[in-house]
C-alpha cells in the first residue's frame, strides 16, 4: 500500500554489496582500521624542512688577498669575504642556491663593510636561514681557515645588523718606527716608542673624540653635507709590544659609524703631526670648511675589532626569548683568531712588503699648509666607485 513503511529485511536476505570510499568501506566506522593503504614511493615524499629563522653570525677573517667584505655583483674577478661565506652557507644546506645568487632573499646585512685588505675579529652579519643541525660546525667546515664563524645567535624577525648597530670599534696595528721623527731613519727596526711620545700620541688622539666634520677624511664629501659629521666615542694608543723583533703598537678608535678611509686618514694625519711634517693646528683646520690634503695610511693594519648593540640588548637581551649580543663567551675565540691569523699576517706582510715604510716616504709630498680646493687629492676616487657609509 502506498505510504506504508517498508518491513524489516529478513535476516537471511542477501546484503547489498559494500561500496568503498577512499579505500574505506561505507559501513566502516572512522576509528576502525580499513586495512593497509598504498603508500607513495619513497622518492615522491618531500623531507620536512627545518624552520627558517633570523640569526646573526659573529665572523672573523684575515682580509689579505680579498677585495673587501661586500660581494661585488657582476665582478667575480674581485674576490670578497662574502663570496666565500655565501658559498659555505649554500653548501651547508642552510640556504637555497637561489638565495646565494640574490642575497636580498635571505635578508642578508652586514654591520660594516671593510675595504680591500682589511681584517675583522668581530664582524656581525644578519640573515634568515634554515636551522639545520650543527649549523655553525657545518658552515665552518666549508670555509678556509682564515675565515671563521665564532658564534651564532637568534634575533628578532626584523633585526638588521647595520641599522641596529650603535657603534663600531676598529684597531690599527702599526710598527712603532712610524712615530719616529722625520729626521730619523724611517726603516730603523731598533726604534722603540718612548713613554713621552706615547703620551703625545694619546693627547692628539683624544682631540678626535666628540662630533666633528670629517669631510676631509673621505672622498666625494663636501663640508656642508650633514653625513660628513661623525661622532667618535674614544681613541687611544695602547702600550707597544714586540713581534719577531719588530715593535708594534695598536691604535683603537670607537665611533658610531665611519666613512670610507676615515680611520686610515685619521691615523695618517696623526703620524704626519708626530713625525714633524704638519703642525698640531692642522687638526682643527681639517674639520673646517676648507679642503685639506690628508694622507691615507696603508690598509694593512686596520681591523674591525667588534660592533656594539647596546640599545638592542637593553630592549631584547633579557626578555627571556633572545640572548644579548655582547659575545662575552666568544671573546676568547676572537682573541685566539686574532693572534693566530690577523697579527701574523700583518707582521709578515709588513716585513715582506714594507708597506708602512714605503708609505712614510710619501709624506713629504703632502702640503699641510695650503688648501687643495679645486685640485685633485691623491686619494680622490671616481664618483660611484665606492660607497662611503659605515665603511673603512
Amino acid at each position: 500500500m502506498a505510504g506504508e513503511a517498508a518491513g524489516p529485511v529478513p535476516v537471511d536476505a542477501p546484503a547489498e554489496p559494500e561500496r568503498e570510499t577512499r579505500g574505506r568501506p561505507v559501513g566502516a566506522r572512522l576509528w576502525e582500521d580499513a586495512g593497509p593503504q598504498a603508500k607513495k614511493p619513497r622518492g615522491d615524499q618531500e623531507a620536512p624542512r627545518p624552520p627558517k629563522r633570523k640569526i646573526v653570525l659573529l665572523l672573523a677573517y684575515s682580509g689579505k688577498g680579498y677585495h673587501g667584505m661586500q660581494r661585488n655583483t657582476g665582478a667575480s674577478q674581485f674576490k670578497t669575504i662574502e663570496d666565500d661565506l655565501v658559498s659555505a652557507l649554500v653548501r651547508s644546506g642552510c640556504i637555497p642556491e637561489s638565495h646565494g645568487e640574490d642575497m636580498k632573499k635571505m635578508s642578508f646585512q652586514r654591520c660594516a663593510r671593510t675595504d680591500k685588505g682589511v681584517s675583522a675579529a668581530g664582524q656581525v652579519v644578519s640573515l634568515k636561514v634554515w636551522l639545520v643541525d650543527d649549523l655553525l660546525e657545518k658552515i665552518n667546515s666549508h670555509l678556509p681557515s682564515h675565515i671563521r664563524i665564532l658564534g651564532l645567535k637568534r634575533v628578532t624577525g626584523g633585526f638588521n645588523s647595520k641599522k641596529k648597530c650603535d657603534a663600531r670599534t676598529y684597531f690599527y696595528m702599526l710598527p712603532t718606527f712610524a712615530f719616529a721623527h722625520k729626521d730619523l731613519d724611517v726603516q730603523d727596526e731598533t726604534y722603540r716608542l718612548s713613554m713621552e711620545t706615547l703620551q703625545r700620541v694619546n693627547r692628539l688622539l683624544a682631540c678626535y673624540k666628540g662630533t666633528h666634520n670629517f669631510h676631509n677624511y673621505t672622498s666625494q664629501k663636501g663640508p656642508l653635507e650633514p653625513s660628513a659629521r661623525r661622532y667618535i666615542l674614544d681613541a687611544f694608543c695602547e702600550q707597544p709590544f714586540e713581534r719577531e723583533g719588530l715593535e708594534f703598537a695598536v691604535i683603537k678608535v670607537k665611533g658610531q659609524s665611519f666613512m670610507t678611509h676615515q680611520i686610515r686618514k685619521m691615523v695618517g694625519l696623526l703620524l704626519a703631526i708626530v713625525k714633524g711634517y704638519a703642525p698640531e693646528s692642522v687638526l682643527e683646520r681639517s674639520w673646517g670648511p676648507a679642503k685639506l690634503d690628508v694622507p691615507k695610511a696603508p690598509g694593512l693594519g686596520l681591523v674591525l675589532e667588534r660592533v656594539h648593540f647596546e640599545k638592542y640588548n637593553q630592549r631584547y637581551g633579557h626578555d627571556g626569548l633572545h640572548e644579548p649580543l655582547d659575545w662575552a663567551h666568544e671573546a676568547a675565540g676572537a682573541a685566539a683568531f686574532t693572534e693566530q691569523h690577523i697579527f701574523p699576517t700583518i707582521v709578515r706582510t709588513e716585513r715582506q712588503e714594507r708597506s708602512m715604510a714605503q708609505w712614510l716616504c710619501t709624506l713629504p709630498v703632502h702640503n699641510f699648509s695650503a688648501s687643495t680646493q679645486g685640485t685633485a687629492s691623491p686619494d680622490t676616487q671616481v664618483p660611484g666607485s665606492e660607497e662611503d657609509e659605515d665603511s673603512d
Side-chain angles (χ1 to χ4, degrees), residues 110-260:
R110 67 205 66 80
C111 258
R113 292 190 311 274
T114 51
D115 290 342
K116 178 181 177 181
V118 177
S119 300
Q123 172 75 277
V124 171
V125 300
S126 57
L127 67 160
K128 288 182 179 179
V129 299
W130 290 316
L131 292 180
V132 300
D133 293 336
D134 302 319
L135 179 55
L136 190 147
E137 291 77 11
K138 286 180 179 177
I139 299 174
N140 278 330
S141 69
H142 297 294
L143 286 171
S145 60
H146 55 269
I147 303 178
R148 290 288 96 179
I149 305 298
L150 302 177
L152 181 157
K153 292 186 179 184
R154 285 276 307 277
V155 288
T156 57
F159 184 88
N160 181 304
S161 60
K162 180 180 177 180
K163 293 180 179 179
K164 294 296 183 182
C165 182
D166 303 308
R168 299 153 177 86
T169 297
Y170 284 83
F171 72 74
Y172 191 91
M173 178 176 169
L174 72 168
T176 57
F177 63 69
F179 295 114
H181 193 270
K182 63 181 180 179
D183 295 336
L184 300 178
D185 182 7
V186 296
Q187 300 189 33
D188 183 9
E189 295 187 0
T190 64
Y191 177 85
R192 294 296 180 266
L193 185 64
S194 67
M195 183 58 64
E196 181 183 1
T197 302
L198 179 60
Q199 290 174 349
R200 186 188 181 204
V201 168
N202 277 318
R203 178 173 57 81
L204 292 170
L205 285 171
C207 296
Y208 282 124
K209 294 196 292 185
T211 302
H212 301 286
N213 190 328
F214 285 98
H215 72 97
N216 278 312
Y217 294 75
T218 188
S219 59
Q220 308 304 323
K221 281 284 185 186
L224 301 181
E225 295 186 51
S227 60
R229 294 182 65 81
R230 299 291 163 128
Y231 179 51
I232 305 300
L233 289 90
D234 205 1
F236 60 94
C237 182
E238 296 181 336
Q239 290 289 334
F241 57 92
E242 285 194 21
R243 285 290 188 279
E244 299 182 12
L246 188 61
E247 188 179 68
F248 286 85
V250 166
I251 295 173
K252 290 196 176 184
V253 182
K254 180 180 180 181
Q256 285 184 336
S257 62
F258 298 95
M259 297 178 290
T260 301

Side-chain angles (χ1 to χ4, degrees), residues 182 200 269 271-282 285 368-369:
K182 63 181 180 179
R200 186 188 181 204
L269 190 57
L271 295 178
I273 295 173
V274 174
K275 294 184 74 63
Y277 288 107
E280 293 188 9
S281 60
V282 76
R285 286 198 293 116
F368 300 100
S369 60

Side-chain angles (χ1 to χ4, degrees), residues 37-47:
Q37 299 182 23
K39 294 183 178 180
K40 291 183 179 180
R42 184 176 296 274
D44 294 341
Q45 291 181 331
E46 291 186 5

Side-chain angles (χ1 to χ4, degrees), residues 164-166 256 308-317:
K164 294 296 183 182
C165 182
D166 303 308
Q256 285 184 336
H308 308 266
F309 300 94
E310 277 87 357
K311 291 181 181 178
Y312 174 86
N313 290 340
Q314 290 173 5
R315 182 170 181 180
Y316 298 106

Side-chain angles (χ1 to χ4, degrees), residues 264-298:
R264 291 167 62 184
K265 288 201 169 198
M266 290 169 67
V267 173
L269 190 57
L270 168 74
L271 295 178
I273 295 173
V274 174
K275 294 184 74 63
Y277 288 107
E280 293 188 9
S281 60
V282 76
L283 276 176
E284 289 289 339
R285 286 198 293 116
S286 71
W287 302 320
K291 190 68 177 175
L292 190 70
D293 180 14
V294 178
K296 180 178 64 180

